[in-house]
Amino acid sequence: MIPGLDETFLAMNGDILTTLDYKELIKHHRENQAALTIAMHQKDVKIDLGVLETNERGELTSYREKPLFSFAVSMGIYVYEPHVLRYLPKGQHMDFPDLVKLLLHKGRRSRDSLTGLLVGYRTTRRL
């Protein structure tokens, strides 16, 4: 698909500020024999209200006051093996989440795994 691209490669969004060690990320990718590795960090989301849970009849089953949820989220930094490119449709646009879903659907978790590495992440705010 891309002439000469026959080695592990790194792709990322263009607006990232991070302390991520790219050597360690690629090492992790190779050690796990992954087709795709997604750099991740932990994101906490606090809900400033009480959260209600109900059953199928709309009856209250649980109440949590101002809960904190934690998610592993993508940093926008990815390590690929070149063979992943064969899943991209020629001449068509494909969003990254669609590629990940396709790889999962094709069973890439077994022989060629999809991995995520939890790493430190720093952001700056716009002034």
Side-chain angles (χ1 to χ4, degrees):
M1 198 162 212
I2 299 175
L5 183 58
D6 55 2
E7 294 184 40
T8 302
F9 66 96
L10 182 72
M12 68 183 77
N13 298 346
D15 60 350
I16 296 172
L17 298 176
T18 182
T19 59
L20 176 64
D21 183 333
Y22 296 111
K23 278 186 175 180
E24 284 299 314
L25 178 65
I26 292 169
K27 178 182 172 192
H28 171 84
H29 171 82
R30 289 180 172 153
E31 286 174 351
N32 285 279
Q33 298 178 348
L36 167 65
T37 297
I38 304 169
M40 301 183 304
H41 76 103
Q42 209 64 32
K43 174 70 175 172
D44 293 334
V45 178
K46 182 172 172 59
I47 305 297
D48 292 329
L49 305 167
V51 174
L52 308 175
E53 294 181 20
T54 60
N55 62 21
E56 61 280 351
R57 294 184 305 272
E59 299 167 335
L60 185 64
T61 59
S62 176
Y63 179 90
R64 292 188 283 168
E65 182 63 25
K66 299 179 182 174
L68 179 68
F69 296 96
S70 188
F71 301 96
V73 299
S74 171
M75 292 176 61
I77 302 171
Y78 317 101
V79 182
Y80 294 87
E81 288 305 311
H83 66 83
V84 170
L85 297 176
R86 72 175 178 244
Y87 293 101
L88 299 175
K90 286 187 179 183
Q92 296 180 31
H93 174 83
M94 179 181 243
D95 287 327
F96 178 74
D98 295 329
L99 175 60
V100 172
K101 290 174 190 176
L102 178 62
L103 291 171
L104 290 169
H105 176 74
K106 295 287 187 182
R108 303 319 310 179
R109 288 182 290 182
S110 53
R111 205 179 91 231
D112 294 328
S113 63
L114 297 175
T115 66
L117 178 63
L118 191 60
V119 295
Y121 185 68
R122 295 185 192 170
T123 61
T124 58
R125 292 184 182 181
R126 285 190 180 179
L127 301 176

